[in-house]
Amino acid sequence: MPTLFSFAFKNIKRKPLRTGILMFAIALLVSALVFSLSFVQRVNGSINKASERLGADLLIVPTNARGAAEEVLLENKIKSFYMDARLIDRIKVVEGIDKVTEQIYLVTMSTMCCSVPEAMVIAFNQDTDFIITPWLREKLKHRLEKGEAVAGTESSFNIRLGLVEVDSMLFGNVFRIVGTMDPTGTGLDNAVFITLENMERIVKSGKAKVKPGEISVIFAKVKPGIDPSAVAMRIENSIIDVDVMARKDIGKNILSTLGDMSRIFMMTIVLASVMAFFLVWAIFTAIANERSKEVGIMRALGAKEQHILRIFLIEVLVIGCAGSILGIVAGTALSTLVATTFSIVKQLSTDLSFLERSAIAVVSFLGGTAICVFGALGPIQRLKKMEPLMVIKVE
């Protein structure tokens, strides 16, 4: 076997330009595959993670604020919208509802109301909350007191709060930041959290747009065994002032756009695969024609069909593997650097994990290598069956 390997490597070095072109073609195919899979997986995965980590089955917002709510939760954008707080009591009595809690969204402006850069301030109800309170109970070990706040992971980084107590001015009131929340993978990572008890002072300051008796969003949990979509429909049919999203529908518009982009990527990959396949086929057909005499002599000296097949398969695998590895490196770099210029990716809260990137690399590696092998099989099969007498007759 070592002689077969050495023989195959010598053949690869025989035509460096042709070998380089073939490797480059495979690398282009694999890099495109890595880029597209990374792009789609990052958007799709971020939306799924965000919806799962919200901890609510339903998201209830003012009419026509569905898009703004998704932008806050999924794309880290800064938005504010309000509805009547009395809607909470109407939603509580809807059949299938188990728990509800409300939040109020405020927008800071460093030049007008606050000592922090533009960010979201979210007021939550400590008595009913099931999104922020579990973290407070586990990590902070106590309820937020008057004048206290916690920061999301990104907010903490952006305004350089760290994990120590820091005073910040929010809407004319001083708040002490007493901790930093764990990452949630949602737009909540870019917010500062206060309690509803502190809202009275903010409303009185007159520096926030919110009015007494207004809230921004209601999170709801449904009773076990009940379909959240059915409960969402009941709420929308009975309360015309709200829009309701089931957790599985959060980011639906983005996912629809992503589906169109995925199909475009897939068509591009298919075309690139076909082109790479025929390029490999053409190059190895030329190689087979060039080396027919050589193969005929090897057969005359006792080489079997499997020996010829192994030599050429080693060449193909070396070229395919090398090209695939180059493509993985290039595609990963593109997905890390260039993809972040896309607005849909730039605003996402989460990136791909090492495991996800590894899976994409493996799939792309196998795909690029397989294209190379299958493209070369035809010429190799024809070459390995060549009879020594044919070469002698030609000579």
Side-chain angles (χ1 to χ4, degrees):
M1 186 60 70
T3 55
L4 292 180
F5 271 100
S6 60
F7 193 71
F9 277 102
K10 285 180 181 179
N11 289 332
I12 290 173
K13 295 178 181 178
R14 194 183 292 181
K15 297 282 187 179
L17 179 60
R18 184 166 61 189
T19 301
I21 291 173
L22 190 53
M23 283 186 181
F24 182 70
I26 298 299
L28 282 180
L29 168 64
V30 172
S31 64
L33 184 58
V34 170
F35 178 83
S36 59
L37 289 177
S38 300
F39 182 91
V40 172
Q41 179 60 31
R42 184 176 178 187
V43 177
N44 191 40
S46 294
I47 291 173
N48 289 336
K49 287 176 184 177
S51 62
E52 288 171 4
R53 292 174 182 174
L54 282 178
D57 298 310
L58 300 176
L59 181 67
I60 303 155
V61 297
T63 304
N64 299 323
R66 182 190 299 256
E70 288 186 334
E71 289 177 349
V72 170
L73 295 172
L74 301 179
E75 302 178 51
N76 304 331
K77 292 188 178 178
I78 299 172
K79 301 278 184 178
S80 60
F81 41 87
Y82 304 106
M83 59 185 174
D84 195 330
R86 289 174 294 185
L87 291 170
I88 298 173
D89 294 327
R90 296 177 62 184
I91 290 169
K92 283 181 180 178
V93 299
V94 173
E95 183 183 352
I97 291 292
D98 184 22
K99 298 178 182 178
V100 298
T101 188
E102 71 272 24
Q103 290 182 353
I104 302 174
Y105 295 163
L106 307 173
V107 178
T108 69
M109 294 183 184
S110 56
T111 56
M112 294 180 62
C113 69
C114 311
S115 62
V116 298
E118 189 176 23
M120 291 289 298
V121 173
I122 298 179
F124 66 99
N125 188 335
Q126 284 195 105
D127 296 324
T128 61
D129 179 78
F130 46 82
I131 296 173
I132 312 300
T133 302
W135 177 87
L136 293 176
R137 193 180 300 119
E138 179 183 353
K139 297 295 179 70
L140 203 58
K141 307 298 184 183
H142 66 80
R143 290 165 60 95
L144 285 184
E145 303 296 334
K146 186 176 181 181
E148 291 184 339
V150 293
T153 52
E154 293 298 325
S155 290
S156 176
F157 176 78
N158 291 338
I159 61 181
R160 302 184 184 280
L161 294 177
L163 296 174
V164 298
E165 296 183 356
V166 176
D167 291 338
S168 294
M169 181 68 70
L170 301 175
F171 302 98
N173 296 272
V174 176
F175 281 84
R176 181 159 295 244
I177 308 297
V178 295
T180 302
M181 286 187 61
D182 293 334
T184 65
T186 71
L188 302 182
D189 291 341
N190 292 271
V192 175
F193 297 87
I194 63 174
T195 64
L196 288 183
E197 290 82 359
N198 289 297
M199 280 300 299
E200 293 181 9
R201 291 189 298 158
I202 289 178
V203 172
K204 288 179 181 178
S205 72
K207 294 187 177 182
K209 293 182 179 179
V210 64
K211 299 176 182 177
E214 288 185 331
I215 58 174
S216 297
V217 61
I218 300 172
F219 293 99
K221 282 188 175 182
V222 302
K223 294 178 180 177
I226 297 180
D227 182 11
S229 297
V231 179
M233 189 172 294
R234 290 192 198 112
I235 295 174
E236 288 199 333
N237 289 338
S238 59
I239 306 174
I240 62 173
D241 300 315
V242 299
D243 284 339
V244 186
M245 289 180 284
R247 183 163 58 186
K248 67 178 182 180
D249 294 328
I250 295 175
K252 199 171 184 178
N253 292 334
I254 297 176
L255 288 174
S256 177
T257 302
L258 181 63
D260 294 336
M261 296 180 70
S262 299
R263 285 188 283 274
I264 294 172
F265 281 136
M266 184 57 66
M267 290 175 62
T268 304
I269 296 300
V270 169
L271 290 174
S273 299
V274 172
M275 291 178 64
F277 176 88
F278 280 108
L279 179 61
V280 173
W281 178 82
I283 287 178
F284 271 88
T285 297
I287 291 174
N289 292 333
E290 288 176 5
R291 292 163 62 181
S292 59
K293 178 182 176 182
E294 175 186 312
V295 172
I297 294 173
M298 290 173 64
R299 291 296 309 280
L301 294 175
K304 297 180 180 180
E305 288 186 8
Q306 62 180 2
H307 295 142
I308 305 301
L309 180 62
R310 286 176 185 175
I311 291 172
F312 281 94
L313 279 181
I314 291 171
E315 294 180 32
V316 173
L317 286 172
V318 168
I319 294 172
C321 291
S324 296
I325 291 171
L326 289 174
I328 290 170
V329 173
T332 302
L334 282 173
S335 67
T336 303
L337 301 175
V338 179
T340 54
T341 61
F342 290 82
S343 59
I344 193 173
V345 173
K346 191 188 299 182
Q347 301 293 340
L348 294 176
S349 303
T350 57
D351 198 354
L352 292 177
S353 66
F354 175 78
L355 184 61
E356 288 172 320
R357 289 199 180 277
S358 298
I360 290 172
V362 170
V363 170
S364 302
F365 178 84
L366 293 176
T369 305
I371 289 291
C372 198
V373 170
F374 286 123
L377 273 181
I380 292 174
Q381 289 288 344
R382 179 173 60 83
L383 192 60
K384 76 172 185 176
K385 294 181 180 297
M386 183 172 292
E387 295 293 337
L389 289 176
M390 291 179 61
V391 178
I392 296 172
K393 287 180 180 179
V394 172
E395 294 297 316

